[in-house]
């Protein structure tokens, strides 16, 4: 009988050690996830998410959800172009601020283009949320025409257009966009 108790004590000790190690691994994974998310949300000074401000975007031709064709020549001064993906936690965090910002623009949704990256099925909810404040362009991935023209290297990305297709302001967070653009 003492052998059974000894074996049971060993199994309990191993199980307890396994539980402690599992909790430690989970805690470490959470820390890593936060570090990764912070890296995605870094400021433009730490790394550009698109072409830098002062650069003219490349040529592109895209069709919005309203069947309007958009090219670089359609980008007017003061327009906002944003890039989102449903797989991006920072995109989810920045979406409410973007909706508030875009809702305050005097030109309404005609002055805002939201480029959504992913399959139409996974973008359906995001498309519905943003279609009230922005013209929607869907691209499968960062190899799409608009993503390539803007030099997209991460998301979310927020761009304020200057004259003649030149980027005035770019960044990972909505707060890089000037309040003066909201009229």
């Amino acid at each position: 009988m003492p052998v059974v108790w000894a074996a049971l004590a060993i199994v309990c000790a191993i199980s307890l050690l396994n539980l402690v190690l599992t909790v430690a691994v989970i805690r470490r994974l959470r820390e890593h996830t936060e570090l990764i998310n912070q890296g995605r949300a870094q400021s433009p000074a730490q790394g550009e998410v698109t072409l830098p401000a002062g650069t003219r975007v490349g040529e592109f031709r895209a069709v919005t959800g309203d069947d309007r064709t958009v090219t670089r020549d359609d980008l007017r001064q003061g327009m906002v172009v944003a890039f989102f993906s449903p797989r991006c936690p920072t995109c989810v965090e920045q979406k409410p601020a973007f909706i508030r910002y875009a809702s305050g623009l005097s030109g309404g949704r005609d002055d805002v283009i939201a480029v959504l990256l992913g399959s139409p099925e996974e973008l359906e909810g995001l498309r519905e949320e943003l279609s009230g404040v922005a013209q929607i362009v869907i691209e499968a991935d960062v190899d799409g025409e608009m993503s390539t023209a803007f030099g997209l290297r991460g998301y979310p990305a927020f761009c304020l257009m200057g004259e003649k297709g030149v980027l005035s302001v770019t960044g990972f967070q909505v707060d890089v966009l000037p309040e003066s653009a909201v009229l």
Side-chain angles (χ1 to χ4, degrees):
M1 192 66 131
V3 174
V4 173
W5 285 110
L8 185 59
I10 291 172
V11 169
C12 287
I14 291 173
S15 296
L16 185 59
L17 178 63
N18 185 31
L19 180 63
V20 168
L21 291 174
T22 301
V23 169
V25 168
I26 290 171
R27 181 175 294 136
R28 191 78 169 146
L29 284 172
R30 284 183 182 160
E31 290 173 7
H32 282 211
T33 300
E34 286 186 26
L35 288 173
I36 289 169
N37 287 338
Q38 288 172 0
R40 287 183 184 154
Q42 62 186 329
S43 69
Q46 294 170 313
E48 296 290 337
V49 68
T50 64
L51 296 171
T55 305
R56 188 170 190 206
V57 299
E59 291 285 337
F60 67 89
R61 178 181 164 84
V63 178
T64 69
D66 301 333
D67 290 326
R68 294 170 62 180
T69 300
V70 180
T71 66
R72 178 180 65 190
D73 295 335
D74 297 315
L75 301 176
R76 309 178 293 289
Q77 184 170 358
M79 282 186 81
V80 174
V81 179
F83 295 85
F84 289 95
S85 171
R87 297 169 288 217
C88 161
T90 308
C91 293
V92 174
E93 292 171 12
Q94 290 294 307
K95 183 176 53 178
F98 174 74
I99 291 172
R100 282 191 304 277
Y101 186 87
S103 297
L105 294 174
S106 62
R109 67 188 297 273
D110 288 337
D111 281 348
V112 184
I113 298 173
V115 182
L116 310 182
L117 292 99
S119 70
E121 298 81 32
E122 67 182 339
L123 293 173
E124 192 58 40
L126 186 58
R127 182 180 184 166
E128 287 177 23
E129 288 180 274
L130 297 178
S131 64
V133 297
Q135 301 171 69
I136 305 296
V137 172
I138 293 180
E139 294 187 341
D141 57 30
V142 294
D143 293 334
E145 283 197 49
M146 283 192 74
S147 297
T148 301
F150 279 77
L152 186 68
R153 292 186 285 278
Y155 33 77
F158 303 99
C159 305
L160 180 65
M161 299 306 304
E163 294 180 0
K164 298 180 181 179
V166 174
L167 293 166
S168 176
V169 176
T170 67
F172 279 99
Q173 298 179 326
V174 175
D175 62 8
V176 300
L177 301 172
E179 289 184 33
S180 62
V182 180
L183 303 175

